[in-house]
Each structure stands twice: as structure tokens, then as C-alpha cells.
Amino acid sequence: MTTLRHGDRSQAVRELQRLLNANGAELDADGAFGDATEAAVRTYQGKVGLVSDGKAGPKTMASLQGLDIRKLLKHSDLLQASARLGVPVAAVYALNEVESKGRGFLDNGKPVILFERHVMYKRLQLAGSPGDDQEQLLHRADLLAKQAPNLVNPKAGGYIGGSAEHQRLAQARQLDEVAALESASWGGFQVMGYHWQRLGYSSVHDFVDAMMRSEADHLEAFVRYIEADANLLKALKAQKWATVAKLYNGPDYQRNLYDVKLERAFERHQNRALVAA
């Protein structure tokens, strides 16, 4: 579903306005997403507890249509993250807007994932116990790369997207359960499974169970990730967006303008004076 936002004009906006009016708004259903419609979206999001960004995406539309939103990220979750990290609410809103996929779960209720075959290739080479032979591990990884190159490969790729990524993961789990779970990125913030120990989870299965529960759990993993990186947290507190983007997105962050997007999102949300409501 396309996210509707300020400036849009369409029949979909007219339907949005109709649904907002059915929930107490008093809009002219003209199909134009202007200031009044944005304000009405924010008011509705605040009323039901959703992230109050003034955009009508899949989550807001699902709520307006009466669907279950208990797994979805709430405004209160972002407020708690702000207090915990010691940064402005606008900074957490900016991170959620730019760094998250915007949606932590698929329509079938499974968390959004992306299986990384090149990570699987590396994880298979790691010794699980002192008795493991490194040469044998490498040989097994290379053998599996020949047998199932879409699941084990020195090179990234093979992505299918959506629910099909869960099919790839299920196939990879048949090769090696732990390595497969560690080789997927999970949830709205796409945190890699192999970070489980660094982030304080008892096992990769504990981490995955959390990713299955809610978008609040996805945010929790993201907050733990920031807390575990002193330089990232310091840059976030100082609002040094280029450093934040480089540390989280890697050296190619400029290609996707992550730093610019973060700064603009922060300024936009800060100007809207988000408060601890």
C-alpha cells in the first residue's frame, strides 16, 4: 500500500478523508491531502496511540479500517526510547522514519526479514566449539555454496523479498539452524540475527522470539544496538547525522543520502514540537 502524505491528490486520499470523518474529523472529502487532512491524521494517530507522523501508511489505514494494531509501534514506545537514550523525541522519530522499513510485519503476520546468503557463508565457517576444525568448516561452507548457491554464497544477492524470504530462511535452517537465523536481518529496523549476544539476548532463538512479538520489540533491539555502540550514541546525542549514518549504514551512507534524510526528518519533527503526550 502506498503511503499517503501532504501534497497528494487522489481517490485514495478521498477515501482516507472519509474514514477520518467517520472517526470524528470534519474534513471536506476533496481528495487533496492538505494541512487539515495532515492534522486530522495526526489527531487520529494520537488518539489510537500510533506513531504520530501525519502520514497515512499501511498502519494508519489498517487502524482506520478496524484491523488489529496491537503488534504495531506506538508513540509511547518512541517516547520511552527517547528517554532511555537521552535524546530528543524528534531524533527517535527521525530514526524510525529513515532507518526503519516503516513496517515490521508482513500481511501474513510474520516479521519482515531479509536473508543474507553471504552472511550464511561466513557464519558456517565460525567454530562452534574448541574441537571444530577450521579447514573442515571452510570445506563444508564451500560445498554448500556449490550445492545451494542461493542460500550459501560468498557474494550477496539472491533476494526475493516479502514472504518468500521466509521460504529461503526455512531452507537455510535445514542446512544449519543457528547460522541461518543469525544470517537474516529482522523486523522494522532490520537488525542482523548475529548481533543477539552483543545485544543481551540469551540466544539467537530468544532474539527471534522477540522479533516475532511486536514492533516495540523491534525498536527494543534497535535501542540496544545504539546503546552497545558508544560512538553511535554519542553522535546521536550531538545530532551529528553524517556520523550516525556512517556508523549505522556503513561507509556507503552518502549514496542513499541517509545523513541528509535523517537531518531533514529531525528538523521536520522538531518543528512540529513533539511532546510527551
Side-chain angles (χ1 to χ4, degrees):
M1 176 184 289
T2 302
T3 295
L4 302 174
R5 64 193 73 209
H6 195 282
D8 287 348
R9 289 177 175 271
S10 66
Q11 184 60 38
V13 173
R14 191 186 303 274
E15 174 62 13
L16 167 65
Q17 292 167 329
R18 185 190 70 77
L19 290 170
L20 288 168
N21 286 341
N23 281 273
E26 297 179 355
L27 298 169
D28 179 10
D30 56 3
F33 199 130
D35 292 345
T37 299
E38 183 179 60
V41 170
R42 283 183 177 276
T43 298
Y44 176 77
Q45 290 169 329
K47 183 171 70 173
V48 299
L50 289 173
V51 172
S52 183
D53 58 6
K55 300 174 186 177
K59 298 176 185 180
T60 298
M61 295 305 295
S63 179
L64 282 166
Q65 293 163 0
L67 301 180
D68 187 0
I69 62 169
R70 284 176 294 179
K71 281 188 173 183
L72 303 185
L73 195 64
K74 306 295 193 299
H75 175 64
S76 58
D77 298 324
L78 297 184
L79 289 180
Q80 291 171 13
S82 165
R84 182 166 155 187
L85 294 172
V87 300
V89 178
V92 181
Y93 258 77
L95 288 169
N96 179 58
E97 179 177 317
V98 176
E99 300 295 0
S100 84
K101 294 293 182 182
R103 192 180 184 195
F105 289 89
L106 302 168
D107 290 338
N108 61 10
K110 293 183 178 180
V112 172
I113 67 166
L114 197 63
F115 180 75
E116 302 284 3
R117 66 186 190 184
H118 65 293
V119 176
M120 179 77 169
Y121 178 74
K122 293 177 182 178
R123 302 307 294 180
L124 287 169
Q125 297 176 49
L126 297 179
S129 62
D132 287 341
D133 182 271
Q134 192 64 53
E135 190 172 329
Q136 289 182 352
L137 292 173
L138 176 59
H139 175 72
R140 178 173 179 251
D142 286 334
L143 181 63
L144 289 174
K146 291 179 180 179
Q147 296 174 344
N150 193 42
L151 304 176
V152 182
N153 202 306
K155 296 181 179 180
Y159 309 115
I160 305 175
S163 60
E165 289 297 317
H166 280 276
Q167 296 173 10
R168 294 179 68 210
L169 176 61
Q171 293 170 349
R173 291 176 74 169
Q174 294 178 3
L175 302 178
D176 190 295
E177 168 85 4
V178 171
L181 294 175
E182 292 180 337
S183 299
S185 58
W186 293 84
F189 294 90
Q190 292 294 278
V191 176
M192 289 299 302
Y194 64 76
H195 288 304
W196 64 265
Q197 190 168 19
R198 175 171 169 253
L199 302 186
Y201 295 92
S202 62
S203 66
V204 69
H205 292 93
D206 180 34
F207 170 78
V208 170
D209 286 345
M211 297 303 98
M212 295 286 187
R213 284 197 295 265
S214 71
E215 290 182 348
D217 285 284
H218 300 174
L219 178 62
E220 170 66 22
F222 183 57
V223 169
R224 291 189 189 190
Y225 186 94
I226 295 172
E227 290 175 329
D229 189 329
N231 291 327
L232 177 56
L233 181 56
K234 182 179 179 180
L236 180 60
K237 288 184 174 181
Q239 294 157 32
K240 294 183 178 180
W241 301 114
T243 304
V244 171
K246 183 178 181 180
L247 290 173
Y248 190 70
N249 303 109
D252 292 334
Y253 72 94
Q254 290 176 311
R255 183 178 301 171
N256 293 309
L257 300 175
Y258 282 115
D259 55 330
V260 176
K261 292 175 181 177
L262 282 168
E263 184 170 10
R264 288 177 179 173
F266 173 74
E267 291 174 352
R268 185 169 64 255
H269 290 300
Q270 190 177 45
N271 289 339
R272 286 169 180 158
L274 289 166
V275 294

